[in-house]
Amino acid sequence: MLKIINRIILFIISFTLILMLIPDKYTISAAPADTQTAVNALVYGDCNNDGNIDALDFALLKQELMNKGDKYNKIMDLNQDNEVDAIDYSIMKQYLLGKVSKLPYNPTQPTTKWVGTWTAAQQLTEPANMPPSPGLANNTLRQIVHVSIGGNQLRLKFSNQYGSTPVNINSVHLALSTGGSSIQSGTDKALTFEGKETVTIPAGKTVISDVVNFSLHNLENIAVTIYFGSVPSALTGHPGSRTTSYIQTGNGVNKLSMPSAQPTEHWYIISGIDVLTDNSFQGIVALGDSITDGRGSTTNANNRWADNLSRRLRENSATSNISVLNQGIGGNAVFSGGLGPTALSRFQRDVLEQSGVRFLIVFEGVNDIGASSSVSVATNLINAYKEFITKAHSQNILVYGATITPFGGSQYDSSIHEQARETVNNWIRTSGQFDAVIDLDGAVKNPNNPTRLLSIYDSGDHLHLSPAGYARIAEAIDINLFTR
């Protein structure tokens, strides 16, 4: 008897609380128009079959859960999974609070996720690549970036990873680029950081903006304009932008054009852009050195091999949802020396922590070979590749190995270096360790002299490729690899 009394008291308390939760715009007798129907007709959620869905039906559903019988009540199965359970209870509550508009309701909606559409691998800016006068402190920097995939909601990343003191940002604006330092009127939007336009990035840290609604199309150029306060003497950036940026004295963050700005071919502080997409979208990281970074490509033409691959993916319906994130650093090495953090040391940041990555192309190692004096460099590279594969596979990332392209006639040309290159390429092709092999060596070598690039693909230094060479690399990649 005591148990029955306790149940009755619990029911009364629960029912009273539910009535208090229902907003004023909902009444006990009123139901949304799209669920009202004649009495005795089957209406999901109308547990007492009175033509309304209200708190009384909620109470009956609760009672059903507390005293489950053997009979399945289809009217109470609000998600149509052939079971009346706590999920249906939650759906009814959300319906009465106005957060679900129609019953039955399938809570399984297409999931959304962040996917990177543009990146720049960060490093400590060398003295020769620091901003020209007037500098960044208390001035405005407009940087142009070429995205891969589009979207309607974005977030931007800004890095002070190598700074010794904080970066103070007064304002950041985003707009469509119309060429040079100009932006399209009516597209300019201010970013916020936890609701504020100003943000301070501590030394060694990265910040991410609040989500911004912005109509961004595939392969579009956008301008990211930053009005700085104080900046550290050691700047974080990406020297090999192959794109012109603009430094304007004072606050010009929302100017339509900057005709008096100082141009510079470097990026600073900005490190990535993500778009909010559905779950079908995925990203490719291109991990590499100056050949991936685009040395030998045309400034402001976005004709690096990664750019060309992105265009190919966009043209194919089966891969139009795949982004390309260029994580090349000029002069970079895989395991020792070189410029910027080694590929091993930056792998976590530049691959595993990027948004929405499903594929990785490893195309790096020539600088390790070029700086070595022993063929044992090949063993070190192979061990590093194995580590990349293991780490990437642990996060369900497929890893494609690209063979090292020829460098005969360049500063790296020697019999030892060529022997190491051939050893590494043979392992990439035959070991079976990579999920697939992309034979870039075979695509651009001179068939009559395979230690050298074919002349049309040679930028002139016999190491880096020409725009035609970067186009050939993109053509040589089987885009069906990105439908897995």
Side-chain angles (χ1 to χ4, degrees):
M1 183 66 181
L2 183 60
K3 288 184 178 179
I4 295 174
I5 294 172
N6 286 338
R7 281 189 176 182
I8 293 172
I9 293 172
L10 179 62
F11 174 78
I12 294 171
I13 293 172
S14 300
F15 182 70
T16 304
L17 288 173
I18 292 302
L19 289 177
M20 292 173 66
L21 283 171
I22 299 175
D24 291 342
K25 66 178 181 179
Y26 295 98
T27 64
I28 296 295
S29 60
D34 61 3
T35 60
Q36 286 185 335
T37 187
V39 175
N40 298 323
L42 175 65
V43 178
Y44 286 90
D46 185 10
C47 302
N48 62 352
N49 199 26
D50 67 350
N52 298 310
I53 300 174
D54 49 38
L56 293 176
D57 299 296
F58 184 88
L60 289 172
L61 176 57
K62 183 178 179 68
Q63 188 175 24
E64 171 74 12
L65 294 175
M66 294 173 63
N67 302 280
K68 262 196 168 183
D70 296 330
K71 187 177 179 181
Y72 166 66
N73 192 333
K74 187 174 183 179
I75 288 176
M76 294 183 177
D77 185 7
L78 303 185
N79 64 343
Q80 296 182 297
D81 66 347
N82 299 317
E83 185 176 359
V84 178
D85 53 21
I87 295 175
D88 303 296
Y89 175 85
S90 176
I91 291 172
M92 176 68 91
K93 181 177 179 181
Q94 296 300 307
Y95 178 81
L96 293 174
L97 292 173
K99 295 180 180 180
V100 169
S101 62
K102 188 175 181 180
L103 297 177
Y105 169 72
N106 184 352
T108 305
Q109 300 293 335
T111 56
T112 59
K113 66 179 182 183
W114 290 105
V115 176
T117 185
W118 175 86
T119 52
Q122 300 298 288
Q123 64 183 94
L124 176 64
T125 304
E126 308 98 320
N129 294 321
M130 292 292 283
S133 179
L136 300 186
N138 303 309
N139 292 325
T140 302
L141 172 67
R142 176 163 291 170
Q143 303 177 92
I144 313 302
V145 301
H146 183 70
V147 304
S148 184
I149 57 173
N152 295 316
Q153 291 185 297
L154 318 179
R155 65 182 187 185
L156 279 70
K157 302 175 183 179
F158 302 87
S159 176
N160 187 26
Q161 184 166 356
Y162 301 101
S164 55
T165 58
V167 171
N168 293 309
I169 293 177
N170 297 320
S171 183
V172 182
H173 281 224
L174 182 66
L176 294 180
S177 170
T178 57
S181 67
S182 299
I183 60 173
Q184 182 177 321
S185 177
T187 66
D188 182 69
K189 285 197 173 184
L191 301 185
T192 59
F193 302 84
E194 297 184 351
K196 300 177 181 179
E197 285 197 30
T198 62
V199 65
T200 296
I201 313 175
K205 300 296 183 180
T206 293
V207 299
I208 302 176
S209 75
D210 298 335
V211 179
V212 58
N213 294 322
F214 190 92
S215 181
L216 179 67
H217 297 100
N218 295 339
L219 306 174
E220 204 155 35
N221 290 341
I222 56 176
V224 181
T225 309
I226 307 172
Y227 173 37
F228 289 96
S230 61
V231 298
S233 57
L235 276 178
T236 300
H238 186 87
S241 65
R242 324 292 168 199
T243 304
T244 306
S245 301
Y246 304 88
I247 303 175
Q248 172 75 51
T249 302
N251 183 6
V253 72
N254 57 0
K255 287 184 177 294
L256 291 179
S257 185
M258 297 179 172
S260 61
Q262 175 67 41
T264 181
E265 290 183 19
H266 308 298
W267 286 316
Y268 305 100
I269 306 300
I270 183 171
S271 62
I273 301 174
D274 292 345
V275 296
L276 190 63
T277 67
D278 67 54
N279 206 42
S280 68
F281 282 74
Q282 301 177 104
I284 304 167
V285 167
L287 184 68
D289 46 45
S290 55
I291 298 176
T292 297
D293 202 24
R295 182 168 178 179
S297 64
T298 309
T299 299
N300 296 321
N302 298 302
N303 56 6
R304 313 165 189 82
W305 72 259
D307 299 319
N308 294 325
L309 174 60
S310 184
R311 281 188 281 273
R312 285 194 65 209
L313 294 170
R314 249 29 76 222
E315 293 165 358
N316 178 50
S317 60
T319 58
S320 61
N321 59 344
I322 308 297
S323 69
V324 181
L325 302 176
N326 190 329
Q327 296 287 46
I329 291 179
N332 198 231
V334 171
F335 63 85
S336 178
L339 297 178
T342 64
L344 275 173
S345 65
R346 65 189 178 98
F347 192 82
Q348 177 73 28
R349 180 195 72 187
D350 288 353
V351 178
L352 303 183
E353 293 178 3
Q354 296 302 308
S355 302
V357 175
R358 169 61 173 156
F359 309 99
L360 167 64
I361 299 174
V362 177
F363 181 31
E364 188 162 5
V366 70
N367 292 319
D368 298 82
I369 292 173
S372 71
S373 58
S374 169
V375 294
S376 64
V377 66
T379 301
N380 292 333
L381 281 173
I382 289 168
N383 288 335
Y385 296 155
K386 290 178 180 178
E387 186 174 332
F388 292 159
I389 292 166
T390 299
K391 288 181 175 179
H393 282 176
S394 71
Q395 293 199 16
N396 197 32
I397 296 173
L398 296 175
V399 189
Y400 303 148
T403 51
I404 298 173
T405 49
F407 48 72
S410 76
Q411 61 179 331
Y412 289 163
D413 191 0
S414 78
S415 59
I416 289 178
H417 293 162
E418 180 59 25
Q419 184 180 347
R421 185 181 79 93
E422 291 176 4
T423 299
V424 169
N425 282 352
N426 182 62
W427 183 86
I428 291 172
R429 291 185 178 108
T430 64
S431 70
Q433 296 286 309
F434 286 105
D435 296 295
V437 175
I438 300 173
D439 192 4
L440 300 184
D441 169 50
V444 298
K445 69 183 180 182
N446 184 335
N448 299 318
N449 189 354
T451 66
R452 288 177 174 254
L453 294 167
L454 195 64
S455 60
I456 192 174
Y457 301 143
D458 191 340
S459 67
D461 65 6
H462 314 302
L463 172 63
H464 300 96
L465 282 78
S466 64
Y470 289 128
R472 177 68 187 114
I473 281 182
E475 291 167 3
I477 298 174
D478 180 5
I479 59 175
N480 289 319
L481 292 173
F482 310 111
T483 60
R484 296 184 179 184

